[in-house]
Structures are given as C-alpha cells and as structure tokens.
Amino acid sequence: MVVSNSSPIINLACIGRLDLLPALYDIIVIPPAVLHETTMVLPNAPGAATVRAASWIQCREIANRSLVASLRLELDPGEAEAIACALEGQATLLLIDERRGRSVAQRLGLSVIGLVGVLLLAKRRGLVAQIRPLLEGLRQRAGFWMSDALYDRVLQEADEVGIAGRRD
C-alpha cells in the first residue's frame, strides 16, 4: 500500500502530471484530511476533479484518532492523517514532501519519498523523458520551493545537467 499526503498530488496536478502516480504505484491511498485538502479547500484547483473521480485513489478512514491528535501537535492535518494511515495500513511507502512530516514518518519507521524522488523514479522507469521541464513547472506554476543545490543535484542524478557546461 502506498499512502500520499496532499503535496505530491497537488503539485503534480499543477504541472499536469498527476498521471505519474497511478503509472508508478497503481493505487494511492489517502486519508480524509488529504481528500479535503486536495478537493475541498480549492474545489476548482488543478487536480481537484481528478482526485474526486479517480478510481486509483482510495480514501481510507483513520481508526486511531488519538495517534492523529498526537501527530497534530507538530504536523498539519493532512500530514498527521497520512502518517497515521500509513502506519495503520502498514504501507510500503508514504509520499510526503514537508521536512518535518518526513522526519516524523521516518522516526516512526515509515519509508518515505518526496515529489522529487517520484520524478526521478518516473524517469528511471521511462515515464518521462526529462525532469528539467517538470522541475521548472513545479517552481514556476506550483510555487514548489527547492534550493538551487537540490535542483542541480536532481538534474545530475537524472543525467540531464549539472553545473554550467554539462549537457542538457
């Protein structure tokens, strides 16, 4: 089982590549708070209608509300529920970008991957030809923040670019 927080879904929708999630993971499980964040907060936002209608997204209730309440002491509702959902369902992977959420999830024994890792995996599996345009779209259209050092490191790992003078 793969569980996702809101950020990977929203950001992929912003760049028109929400299709990468079912191509990589078949089914994505989200908790109610993530469903709310992706479809109700901005009901006309990119991806909201897709998330509401997608057969590859399953919303799963959280039984352990005390765990969610405990996680809420340091995380937002979507992150807290995503981590609780992943723990309850013994997920093999949690898609989450926020540093604090990733740290808490890892501390609790969950395997995590962020959006940048998802893009690298998509490239390795031949689902995207280049990561650079996706990273640019994330920065410009989605307002996704990443340091220049991370941007360069990702492009190097994707064998697309690096420091000035290397190939594109």
Side-chain angles (χ1 to χ4, degrees):
M1 176 171 92
V2 176
V3 174
S4 184
N5 186 33
S6 305
S7 176
I9 294 169
I10 291 168
N11 286 301
L12 283 170
C14 283
I15 61 169
R17 293 310 312 256
L18 199 49
D19 63 301
L20 293 175
L21 292 179
L24 289 168
Y25 304 112
D26 295 324
I27 300 292
I28 298 290
V29 175
I30 60 173
V34 171
L35 180 65
H36 178 77
E37 290 172 2
T38 57
T39 64
M40 303 300 285
V41 173
L42 296 171
N44 296 319
T50 301
V51 170
R52 282 191 293 272
S55 61
W56 53 270
I57 294 178
Q58 298 175 355
C59 186
R60 184 171 291 176
E61 291 291 330
I62 309 301
N64 190 343
R65 299 309 302 172
S66 62
L67 173 59
V68 173
S70 175
L71 292 168
R72 285 282 294 121
L73 295 174
E74 56 185 320
L75 302 172
D76 75 27
E79 293 167 348
E81 284 195 9
I83 290 170
C85 183
L87 288 168
E88 281 185 6
Q90 298 178 330
T92 56
L93 190 62
L94 173 63
L95 310 180
I96 188 167
D97 285 315
E98 295 76 15
R99 181 177 289 146
R100 180 174 284 157
R102 290 170 65 99
S103 176
V104 170
Q106 289 171 321
R107 185 176 73 228
L108 294 171
L110 294 169
S111 295
V112 301
I113 188 171
L115 180 53
V116 172
V118 168
L119 295 178
L120 284 167
L121 180 59
K123 176 153 187 196
R124 282 193 292 272
R125 293 200 182 159
L127 299 172
V128 297
Q130 288 189 313
I131 288 179
R132 180 193 290 260
L134 301 177
L135 294 178
E136 286 301 314
L138 286 170
R139 282 179 148 183
Q140 295 169 7
R141 292 192 306 272
F144 187 86
W145 187 89
M146 76 176 68
S147 69
D148 290 338
L150 175 59
Y151 183 88
D152 288 342
R153 205 167 58 240
V154 170
L155 292 178
Q156 287 174 349
E157 190 171 332
D159 198 27
E160 289 182 25
V161 73
I163 303 164
R166 285 202 237 171
R167 70 182 171 156
D168 265 328

